[in-house]
Amino acid sequence: MLNKKVLAVATGVLCSLSVSIGFAEAEFKMINLLRYYKTMYNATPYTQLMQIGIGGGLENVGGIEQDTKHLSRGLPMAFRPTKNPNEVWVLDSINESLKLFKSGRINRRINLSKMGFIQDFAINDEGNMAFLNRNNGNIYVTDNKGNISNTIPGFQDANSIEFASNKELLVVSPLSKGVVRVSTEGPVLAVYEADQSLSNYSSEKGIWGLECFGGTLAKLYVRNPDFSFDNPVKVIAEFPLKGAYQGVEYKGGNIYGFDEEGNIYFGLVACDLDGIIYRDRIYKCDQNGKVLKEMDVIDNGIISPDLPRHRVACPDGKIMTFFSDEIKYYSLHIYTLK
């Protein structure tokens, strides 16, 4: 999952094929419309979990042709795995639906037409849901059938939502200058001012962040949500970028969530000035920062900076991602850490 700046770098080949001096000297391969340096030649590709046809039917998800109001880039806005490895919730906002697919076939549909165009959703342990409409700024809290129980205003241009507990949400809100903790009953409980490195994934330790843009040292940290602490941010682990490659820096990364055992998953991406990828690595760590597994991976080039997330940790420890040609199919992919 890459932030907006990384997407611009990593998918620059889609915009220009011009060759600079540094670009000509770099040893690279084109894979899935992305340029990879030789350090990535043995990286692990994804495996396809399921493929869903694009269209306006119940069995489909919407694409460019269905998005007549041009509210998206012709993609489902979000997806979330379930505890069943063959099931995935897909936010088909173009068709005003949240859909549960099992082995590529529709298993359940929730109508979202009363909420407008939804950019993100979250599900708590009790099966209740929350939906974000960043255009009108509303978060809709619902039961497991999509019946609205509360509407929380004030979140225009928010990026994503996650449940911190069954009764509280964490909202990444640039207009609030950080992450907002809000009750599902409506009141704002706290605002954690932060830059984009602070995520809205949380555990009993606090709210997790990943400092990883620019330079050669990335830091996994946790922020204590209690404002009484003088220094609420604790660095859990550091990840130096090894290898004497001129001009190569961390250009981003993201936290992907937790597995059912409480381990945390995240990714780091390093590129040179020409956007050639020297590292796209997924990490599995315990909450004390011990690296349990790590793996370099090959991804697909797709420009979709407005989506709330591009990779998600599954309960079983696999990492889910996606690809779409925006016209014929939308597919969900899995990385299995070795």
Side-chain angles (χ1 to χ4, degrees):
M1 182 175 3
L2 310 179
N3 64 28
K4 295 183 180 181
K5 294 180 180 178
V6 178
L7 283 164
V9 173
T11 59
V13 67
L14 302 178
C15 303
S16 173
L17 294 177
S18 60
V19 178
S20 67
I21 294 176
F23 179 86
E25 292 176 348
E27 187 174 342
F28 70 94
K29 286 182 181 180
M30 290 285 295
I31 306 174
N32 299 342
L33 298 180
L34 296 175
R35 296 171 293 176
Y36 288 97
Y37 189 65
K38 60 184 179 180
T39 51
M40 292 290 293
Y41 288 177
N42 294 321
T44 303
Y46 54 79
T47 57
Q48 183 172 288
L49 177 67
M50 66 179 74
Q51 184 167 291
I52 304 166
I54 287 180
L58 180 63
E59 295 273 349
N60 305 130
V61 294
I64 287 178
E65 294 179 358
Q66 289 73 41
D67 187 15
T68 56
K69 296 181 181 180
H70 307 291
L71 296 173
S72 74
R73 295 180 181 269
L75 292 166
M77 297 303 296
F79 58 91
R80 288 185 184 271
T82 73
K83 292 183 179 180
N84 185 333
N86 296 318
E87 287 186 345
V88 183
W89 285 103
V90 179
L91 182 57
D92 183 15
S93 299
I94 295 172
N95 291 324
E96 300 181 321
S97 302
L98 177 66
K99 296 178 177 179
L100 179 64
F101 288 92
K102 184 175 182 179
S103 301
R105 302 297 299 273
I106 187 72
N107 197 36
R108 188 179 170 199
R109 173 185 178 266
I110 294 175
N111 190 330
L112 306 180
S113 59
K114 294 181 180 179
M115 305 180 197
F117 192 85
I118 297 298
Q119 281 80 16
D120 196 15
F121 74 104
I123 304 174
N124 69 13
D125 293 337
E126 296 175 347
N128 296 322
M129 302 178 179
F131 297 89
L132 168 67
N133 183 328
R134 68 193 304 263
N135 298 323
N136 66 18
N138 287 338
I139 294 175
Y140 301 96
V141 181
T142 78
D143 62 15
N144 60 9
K145 296 181 181 179
N147 298 311
I148 299 173
S149 59
N150 193 27
T151 300
I152 308 170
F155 289 99
Q156 286 84 356
D157 294 323
N159 292 339
S160 64
I161 56 177
E162 296 285 346
F163 275 100
S165 68
N166 286 332
K167 298 296 183 180
E168 295 180 3
L169 290 160
L170 290 171
V171 187
V172 176
S173 177
L175 293 183
S176 300
K177 300 180 181 180
V179 176
V180 180
R181 182 182 292 269
V182 59
S183 166
T184 56
E185 296 178 353
V188 170
L189 303 175
V191 178
Y192 309 108
E193 292 192 8
D195 59 22
Q196 65 178 347
S197 68
L198 184 65
S199 78
N200 53 357
Y201 285 107
S202 63
S203 69
E204 65 278 2
K205 286 182 175 290
I207 305 170
W208 291 78
L210 187 64
E211 186 179 314
C212 57
F213 189 81
T216 58
L217 181 66
K219 298 178 182 179
L220 177 68
Y221 69 90
V222 65
R223 189 202 190 284
N224 193 305
D226 188 342
F227 283 91
S228 66
F229 281 72
D230 293 333
N231 185 14
V233 174
K234 179 181 179 180
V235 174
I236 301 297
E238 296 184 344
F239 300 87
L241 182 61
K242 298 178 181 179
Y245 300 110
Q246 185 175 3
V248 177
E249 294 183 342
Y250 283 121
K251 296 299 183 182
N254 290 96
I255 293 175
Y256 305 145
F258 301 87
D259 62 21
E260 58 188 359
E261 296 177 350
N263 299 305
I264 187 168
Y265 295 75
F266 57 94
L268 293 170
V269 178
C271 304
D272 68 9
L273 296 177
D274 292 303
I276 298 173
I277 299 170
Y278 281 60
R279 175 179 295 177
D280 184 352
R281 184 168 295 176
I282 295 174
Y283 294 86
K284 172 185 178 180
C285 288
D286 66 20
Q287 292 192 31
N288 294 316
K290 180 181 179 180
V291 176
L292 304 177
K293 291 183 180 180
E294 57 185 290
M295 186 173 76
D296 289 335
V297 297
I298 298 294
D299 207 345
N300 271 294
I302 185 166
I303 300 177
S304 52
D306 296 329
L307 301 187
R309 62 194 65 80
H310 291 72
R311 294 175 183 170
V312 180
C314 302
D316 63 3
K318 296 177 181 178
I319 302 298
M320 183 176 292
T321 185
F322 76 97
F323 181 74
S324 176
D325 69 356
E326 302 175 10
I327 297 174
K328 293 182 179 180
Y329 69 89
Y330 174 82
S331 59
L332 291 157
H333 301 153
I334 290 292
Y335 293 114
T336 302
L337 275 71
K338 300 176 181 178

